[in-house]
Amino acid sequence: MHDLSALAQRIRTDDDARRALQRRTLTVVAVSQVLGGAGLAAGITVGALLAQQLVGGDGLAGAPTALFTLGSALAAFLIGRFTQRHGRRLGLGLGFAAGGLGALGVVVAAAAGSVPLLFVSLFVYGAGTATNLQARYAGTDLAAPAQRGTAASIALVATTAGAVAGPNLVDPLGRLALGMGIPALAGPFLLATVAYLSAGIVLLVFLRPDPFLLARAAAPADEQAAGAAGAAGAALPPSPPPRPGPGAIAGAAVMVLTQIAMVAIMTMTPVHMRAMDFGLSAVGLVIGIHVGAMYLPSLVTGILVDRVGRVPMAIASGVTLLAAGIVAALAPESSLGLLILALTLLGLGWNVGLLAGTALVVDATVPANRARTQGTIDVLIALSGAGAGAASGVVMAASDYSVLSFTGGILALLLIPVLLWAARSGRPDDGGRPARR
């Protein structure tokens, strides 16, 4: 077992030791994210179609996204609190395990034709979504302040391999499912079961030393004292942790608004495509490219967040999402190419917003309040995604895909006034230096 105090003392004075531990942490997180990405893709690609098949009609087609994002909201809250007390390893490992069990429940529900079990299982499956998203913070715990955007981006780009492969395996996984006597649309959730459980095992076994606990132990004495009693579960009343800076509010707003725009359009794209007589392979292609655009650009966008600045890149994400909504709304019904372009822009805008928002939040927090704040913000992200997923089905039923796409793109621009407010309140964009608290 690592001596946490000795390691903390060492990395305070030895930058090489800190960088070595950071590289190890990023390697373990990246491996878990490759697996987690495969699990994440199942719900995105066929969740709405599976509900449509079991329930009938489009009115509840957005329910799967709403349910697993609601589940991810609860999981994000629990993981944030658990991590603040016990560290990233246990919080993330158990979160992925719960997601794997939820995916298995979806398979059973599809085989049994049970709508109630499907909805309960999708809710539990959402724990994997929350965990996959929160793993990006593990990459920032030991990172230098000026490299936090880049560190978060490595966790996201590692998700690409599994997240892109998953949607493009819809057909073979469907054939595998049929061979097992279960509906074809349950096939991707078979992959999600194995992927999420494997990701949890990787983190539980190999994420040592725990990066969050180590970063907290290495923090300045005043920051440690602020949350020490609460973290230890002591009988004495805990000292109140410092309040996050205004950058945390700005970062939360960026991530929430980009999530709403992305989820609303993404959720209904498979339903729209099926209504236009596109096959499952075409749906898998479009969603696969979209998910790739959500994660693959991360190494470039993360560096830009560190070098260009958090606020300019956040504004760029809103403009990109607006462009995505316009292209999706104006694309002819038979144009696969324009749908691919729209969903690529949608993924890219989300990616930039997530990395800029993540860096803003980390800059505006300290170890004594960081994990709890991150978990709370991810709850807001998940709830906003749940609302967007549920509303997307209603909007589609009442109007059409074009109206939905236009609305999502315009909503993304609301992040600009929030950023301007935060800039006046306390410099949310500080180039990587700790924000004013």
Side-chain angles (χ1 to χ4, degrees):
M1 179 178 291
H2 294 277
D3 185 338
L4 202 63
S5 298
L7 275 176
Q9 179 61 36
R10 183 180 177 191
I11 66 173
R12 287 192 195 104
T13 57
D14 187 343
D15 286 340
D16 289 338
R18 177 186 283 269
R19 283 192 290 268
L21 287 171
Q22 170 70 349
R23 285 194 297 270
R24 172 180 168 78
T25 297
L26 286 175
T27 299
V28 175
V29 169
V31 172
S32 73
Q33 290 298 85
V34 171
L35 295 165
L40 174 71
I44 295 174
T45 309
V46 299
L49 297 176
L50 184 58
Q52 188 182 43
Q53 183 182 85
L54 292 184
V55 178
D58 292 346
L60 290 177
T65 300
L67 285 165
F68 68 69
T69 48
L70 280 173
S72 73
L74 176 60
F77 177 85
L78 295 176
I79 291 169
R81 268 53 181 180
F82 198 88
T83 297
Q84 193 70 55
R85 288 176 173 266
H86 304 292
R88 302 277 184 205
R89 185 175 68 88
L90 288 175
L92 297 177
L94 294 176
F96 271 131
L101 293 176
L104 179 61
V106 172
V107 174
V108 174
S114 172
V115 174
L117 179 58
L118 173 68
F119 286 168
V120 170
S121 298
L122 284 167
F123 181 84
V124 179
Y125 166 79
T129 306
T131 308
N132 193 82
L133 191 60
Q134 286 222 356
R136 75 195 188 280
Y137 290 123
T140 68
D141 286 329
L142 298 174
Q147 297 176 332
R148 286 167 175 161
T150 304
S153 73
I154 291 173
L156 288 184
V157 78
T159 307
T160 306
V164 173
N168 288 291
L169 292 174
V170 168
D171 278 344
L173 288 169
R175 291 193 293 271
L176 174 64
L178 289 173
M180 299 172 64
I182 59 179
L185 290 175
F189 286 96
L190 288 170
L191 175 63
T193 301
V194 176
Y196 274 161
L197 292 176
S198 299
I201 291 170
V202 166
L203 290 166
L204 287 169
V205 173
F206 295 107
L207 195 61
R208 301 171 185 270
D210 189 288
F212 177 78
L213 296 181
L214 182 57
R216 187 169 65 192
D222 59 339
E223 293 181 5
Q224 292 184 47
L236 294 175
S239 302
R243 294 180 64 182
I249 299 174
V254 170
M255 291 188 282
V256 164
L257 289 170
T258 54
Q259 183 79 353
I260 290 172
M262 188 275 290
V263 169
I265 298 172
M266 175 200 68
T267 300
M268 285 298 108
T269 297
V271 175
H272 170 68
M273 291 182 68
R274 291 294 279 168
M276 296 301 107
D277 294 324
F278 286 103
L280 279 178
S281 59
V283 173
L285 174 65
V286 170
I287 298 300
I289 292 173
H290 164 68
V291 175
M294 289 172 64
Y295 298 104
L296 190 57
S298 296
L299 286 179
V300 174
T301 54
I303 292 171
L304 291 174
V305 165
D306 285 333
R307 295 186 179 179
V308 176
R310 284 48 162 147
V311 169
M313 292 301 291
I315 292 172
S317 75
V319 174
T320 304
L321 289 168
L322 175 62
I326 292 172
V327 173
L330 298 180
E333 294 179 347
S334 60
S335 178
L336 181 63
L338 285 179
L339 279 177
I340 289 174
L341 175 60
L343 271 289
T344 299
L345 290 171
L346 190 70
L348 178 61
W350 178 87
N351 173 272
V352 175
L354 183 70
L355 287 173
T358 296
L360 283 166
V361 170
V362 176
D363 289 346
T365 54
V366 294
N369 62 25
R370 183 164 292 152
R372 185 179 293 108
T373 302
Q374 290 165 344
T376 300
I377 290 172
D378 277 6
V379 169
L380 296 176
I381 294 171
L383 289 175
S384 65
S392 64
V394 175
V395 172
M396 277 280 285
S399 57
D400 58 22
Y401 183 72
S402 295
V403 172
L404 176 69
S405 299
F406 268 130
T407 304
I410 292 170
L411 279 175
L413 291 183
L414 293 177
L415 61 85
I416 295 177
V418 175
L419 287 166
L420 294 176
W421 165 82
R424 289 195 299 269
S425 300
R427 283 182 56 77
D429 181 23
D430 54 20
R433 295 179 296 279
R436 181 175 67 83
R437 300 176 182 91

